[in-house]
Amino acid sequence: PPPSRRPPLQGVPHHGAPTKRHGGYASVPRMRVVRLPLRTADAEGILAAYQGVCTAPGGPQDVARDGLLFVHKEGRYESGAVGTPLVLQWKDAGCSKYPIDTAADGSPLPYQVVTLEYRMDSTVSTSDAPPVVLGVMPQQWVQAMGPKLLRPGRLLKFSVREGGIMFAPDGRPAGAALAYEGCGNQRRGRADAFNKILFQQLARTNPIKLEHLLQSLSGLGGARAGGNEVAGMEDG
């Protein structure tokens, strides 16, 4: 079916399966995939998704909510590593337990942390197509790391310090105030997308609030506001 007819999926704990471990058996949680409700992204639909109980149809219990997922119903989608701006997640403290990135214990990080990809020209960039370059690594540091530890495509972790994300006069991103924090998790396979980095930066400095979403609807035509996007509850 087209994307507009495929509600977001959510894993819900189902039941334990016996698994042999160290000569005995341990119960391993299993997940059951269920569909979450979809709503048209007008004022009524957004408020219902934001305030309503996030219960999966046919599910045994409420599921954890982690923001709203906006999906354009008339767009084309392809599977792959690069995301699409036609699918966007928005969240705040009212609909997500973790509106900003947190540490492993759930506490907010003192600085925003981003994962970027190292490139052959010593720049670091996002996973977008084309990639957004946010910094250039010093040559002395590149030589000290060496080609075995530092090769094109390697994921590196940075914190965004005072100065945040910088933009050129024409509005294009021109860099960020980055501090190197170490190698990233290579198993994740790709760097962060720029829209995620920017959203997290705004969440810390100038958050996009629910009333901003509702006010933006007044600038849309009736057909667009009522038919082209769907708001779903994103899983935790």
Side-chain angles (χ1 to χ4, degrees), residues 105-182:
D105 62 0
S107 60
L109 296 170
Y111 297 101
Q112 179 184 357
V113 175
V114 301
T115 298
L116 301 175
E117 179 180 325
Y118 179 77
R119 292 154 41 103
M120 188 175 294
D121 59 358
S122 300
T123 60
V124 288
S125 70
T126 67
S127 63
D128 300 275
V132 177
V133 174
L134 293 181
V136 181
M137 305 307 293
Q139 284 303 308
Q140 184 177 2
W141 179 86
V142 172
Q143 294 171 3
M145 290 288 287
K148 289 186 177 181
L149 293 177
L150 197 62
R151 58 185 181 275
R154 189 161 184 82
L155 299 179
L156 305 177
K157 188 165 57 176
F158 299 87
S159 57
V160 181
R161 300 304 180 99
E162 186 176 354
I165 301 171
M166 293 161 276
F167 293 87
D170 61 2
R172 291 182 297 178
L178 302 175
Y180 177 67
E181 299 289 344

Side-chain angles (χ1 to χ4, degrees), residues 5-159:
R5 309 217 176 165
R6 285 193 235 142
L9 299 179
Q10 158 76 48
V12 176
H14 188 33
H15 59 271
T19 301
K20 192 170 183 179
R21 180 182 180 186
H22 302 303
Y25 287 87
S27 180
V28 178
R30 299 173 66 180
M31 304 296 288
R32 185 166 62 88
V33 177
V34 297
R35 295 187 181 276
L36 296 182
L38 291 179
R39 296 178 172 88
T40 301
D42 53 18
E44 182 180 355
I46 291 176
L47 285 173
Y50 183 85
Q51 300 172 341
V53 177
C54 189
T55 302
Q61 61 183 46
D62 293 348
V63 295
R65 181 175 6 213
D66 189 25
L68 307 183
L69 194 68
F70 291 87
V71 180
H72 198 289
K73 296 198 298 184
E74 297 181 357
R76 294 186 60 185
Y77 301 86
E78 297 180 3
S79 60
V82 180
T84 168
L86 297 180
V87 179
L88 295 174
Q89 183 188 15
W90 172 88
K91 56 185 176 180
D92 67 0
C95 65
S96 173
K97 188 176 180 180
Y98 306 110
I100 63 173
D101 292 337
T102 59
D105 62 0
S107 60
L109 296 170
Y111 297 101
Q112 179 184 357
V113 175
V114 301
T115 298
L116 301 175
E117 179 180 325
Y118 179 77
R119 292 154 41 103
M120 188 175 294
D121 59 358
S122 300
T123 60
V124 288
S125 70
T126 67
S127 63
D128 300 275
V132 177
V133 174
L134 293 181
V136 181
M137 305 307 293
Q139 284 303 308
Q140 184 177 2
W141 179 86
V142 172
Q143 294 171 3
M145 290 288 287
K148 289 186 177 181
L149 293 177
L150 197 62
R151 58 185 181 275
R154 189 161 184 82
L155 299 179
L156 305 177
K157 188 165 57 176
F158 299 87
S159 57

Side-chain angles (χ1 to χ4, degrees), residues 176-224:
L178 302 175
Y180 177 67
E181 299 289 344
C183 290
N185 181 2
Q186 307 305 308
R187 290 179 294 179
R188 64 180 286 170
R190 59 172 174 166
D192 290 331
F194 181 72
N195 59 7
K196 175 187 176 182
I197 295 172
L198 181 59
F199 183 86
Q200 283 292 311
Q201 177 75 185
L202 290 173
R204 289 172 173 268
T205 58
N206 187 23
I208 302 172
K209 299 179 181 180
L210 176 65
E211 50 263 37
H212 297 153
L213 295 182
L214 299 177
Q215 289 170 3
S216 69
L217 295 176
S218 62
L220 299 175
R224 291 183 59 195

